[in-house]
DNA sequence: GGTGAAAAAGTCACCGC
DNA sequence: GCGGTGACTTTTTCACC
């Protein structure tokens, strides 16, 4: 992960459809050397996959909600996490510091779908003690583009 | 946005590097008709862009934190949102229901960077009254793949 | 890591339904 | 109007330097 790799990864985060010709300019290398770099980044799982950035409204899931979950002491956190992993509506499931055990990020069609999901899929899970749901009213920023730091060369 | 478009979008969320040959099988159309579909999805901004899914650890931002922000009454929410938009470390900035005004999702290198960011970039913003920072200890699930619902045909 | 030719994929004008 | 066909063009891949 040297300076060239970082430049490639930054360029590909902005435009994953960039061709090798364009990327080779970013890298300052030939097309074949650039192709080799990208292939190695995939092999090392620095690049975990290729995605499209999809409009949530067009996708039919305009409602964004965060749900905090507290588990009863002794309950199976792993079981809960596994159950959440299986739901498409759960974009993220984190274990967190503070008063709660989990923080979920949900995308759903509407409030009715949220109500149904929280009561039948979240609160119905064994070990769940308490939940708190927070709705996003607007999202001035929502990106999956990560900051790329100058880290130690590998 | 008919059934074929939805199938294409689902396939492209899983593998944005899928070629038109592969996509045409998903769509049940010829390569050229598939290419036309994908182009129209881009033109209508259903597909907003093409991205790579980058490993946060390799990118040098392993630390994930959520920060709640409360603003003083009368403070400029738009000004705060604009400031947050400008920071790479701020992946998301939402206005939310409940006791807080904003919820930020941050990715940073380490605790020291978080401490610096929250004090100099967030709490230093005009109008900020109170903040609460929550750390993610683990992330059993973190994806940008949206559920695609059967919505009204356009 | 660069070069260049072969292979593959994407693009586009035209045809047919 | 929407999709299929086939030729043309661009991009990617790969053996060799």
């Amino acid at each position: 992960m040297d300076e060239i790799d970082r430049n490639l990864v930054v360029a590909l985060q902005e435009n994953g459809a960039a061709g090798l010709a364009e990327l080779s300019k970013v890298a300052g290398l030939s097309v074949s050397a650039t192709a080799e770099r990208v292939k190695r980044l995939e092999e090392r799982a620095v690049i975990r996959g290729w995605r499209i950035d999809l409009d949530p409204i067009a996708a039919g899931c305009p409602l964004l909600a965060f749900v905090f979950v507290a588990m009863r002491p002794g309950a199976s956190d792993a079981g809960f996490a596994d159950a959440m992993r299986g739901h498409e509506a759960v974009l993220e499931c984190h274990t967190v510091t503070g008063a709660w055990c989990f923080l979920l990020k949900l995308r759903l069609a509407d409030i009715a779908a949220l109500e149904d999901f929280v009561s039948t899929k979240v609160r119905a899970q064994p070990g769940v003690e308490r939940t708190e749901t927070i709705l996003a009213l607007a999202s001035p920023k929502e990106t999956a583009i990560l900051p790329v730091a100058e880290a130690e060369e590998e």
Side-chain angles (χ1 to χ4, degrees), chain A:
Chain A
M1 198 69 183
D2 60 7
E3 185 63 29
I4 294 175
D5 283 336
R6 277 194 295 277
N7 289 340
L8 284 173
V9 149
V10 167
L12 283 170
Q13 283 201 114
E14 279 160 23
N15 178 18
L20 291 171
E22 186 179 329
L23 289 173
S24 66
K25 284 174 208 154
V26 171
L29 296 172
S30 69
V31 170
S32 69
T34 306
E36 168 102 23
R37 289 268 187 167
V38 173
K39 206 172 101 191
R40 267 200 78 223
L41 287 167
E42 287 189 77
E43 282 165 3
R44 289 190 293 155
V46 173
I47 295 174
R48 298 189 293 194
W50 303 77
R51 305 270 182 274
I52 51 170
D53 177 5
L54 189 64
D55 175 18
I57 297 175
C61 51
L63 188 76
L64 176 60
F66 292 90
V67 178
F68 283 102
V69 178
M71 304 295 286
R72 275 195 290 278
S76 167
D77 283 20
F80 180 81
D82 282 345
M84 293 305 106
R85 233 194 305 266
H87 296 298
E88 282 196 326
V90 178
L91 266 45
E92 303 180 19
C93 173
H94 310 281
T95 61
V96 292
T97 60
W100 300 92
C101 299
F102 289 97
L103 172 57
L104 308 177
K105 179 182 174 184
L106 305 181
R107 278 245 173 233
L108 291 154
D110 51 38
I111 295 276
L114 176 63
E115 193 278 324
D116 179 67
F117 191 89
V118 171
S119 57
T120 71
K121 301 299 190 320
V122 181
R123 299 178 65 98
Q125 273 302 308
V128 169
E129 182 159 86
R130 219 163 75 254
T131 65
E132 184 174 315
T133 301
I134 293 170
L135 295 184
L137 299 170
S139 298
K141 183 169 186 179
E142 186 176 13
T143 181
I145 297 177
L146 304 180
V148 178
E150 305 108 46
E152 63 286 1
E153 318 247 327
E154 183 181 313

